[in-house]
Amino acid sequence: MDIPQDLISLGRAAEEQRARLAGLEGEEFEVQRRAWEEATRAVRAAIADHAAVSGRSADAVESAVKRAVRQAEEDPAG
């Protein structure tokens, strides 16, 4: 499945926000958790939009986005 770069970028941004939670406590944790939730909502909305336009299921698009994000993180040239 061909995934648009903007969906991959949104997925990567959400994953980066999640990773920033590590080691935080208290108010810093809550602020970062809200940032992660906002990024997650954005990627889910974009996935739903892409699914509707492409005729694919949102689950299939989400899986493809997650694979693309993982591949981009593993690619040393990426």
Side-chain angles (χ1 to χ4, degrees), residues 6 8 11 16 19 29 33 37 39 58 61 68 71-73 76 78:
D6 61 331
I8 297 169
E16 289 170 359
F29 179 87
R33 183 184 58 78
E37 289 175 347
V61 174
Q71 289 172 351
E73 290 172 350

Side-chain angles (χ1 to χ4, degrees), residues 20-70:
R20 289 182 184 145
L21 288 167
L24 297 179
E25 296 178 0
E27 184 61 25
E28 287 180 325
F29 179 87
E30 290 304 316
V31 167
Q32 186 57 41
R33 183 184 58 78
R34 287 190 294 272
W36 172 42
E37 289 175 347
E38 184 177 321
T40 299
R41 280 192 297 274
V43 74
R44 285 185 179 153
I47 286 169
D49 289 347
H50 183 72
V53 169
S54 69
R56 303 199 183 271
S57 74
D59 289 340
V61 174
E62 181 178 7
S63 293
V65 169
K66 286 180 180 181
R67 275 192 308 277
V69 168
R70 277 194 308 273

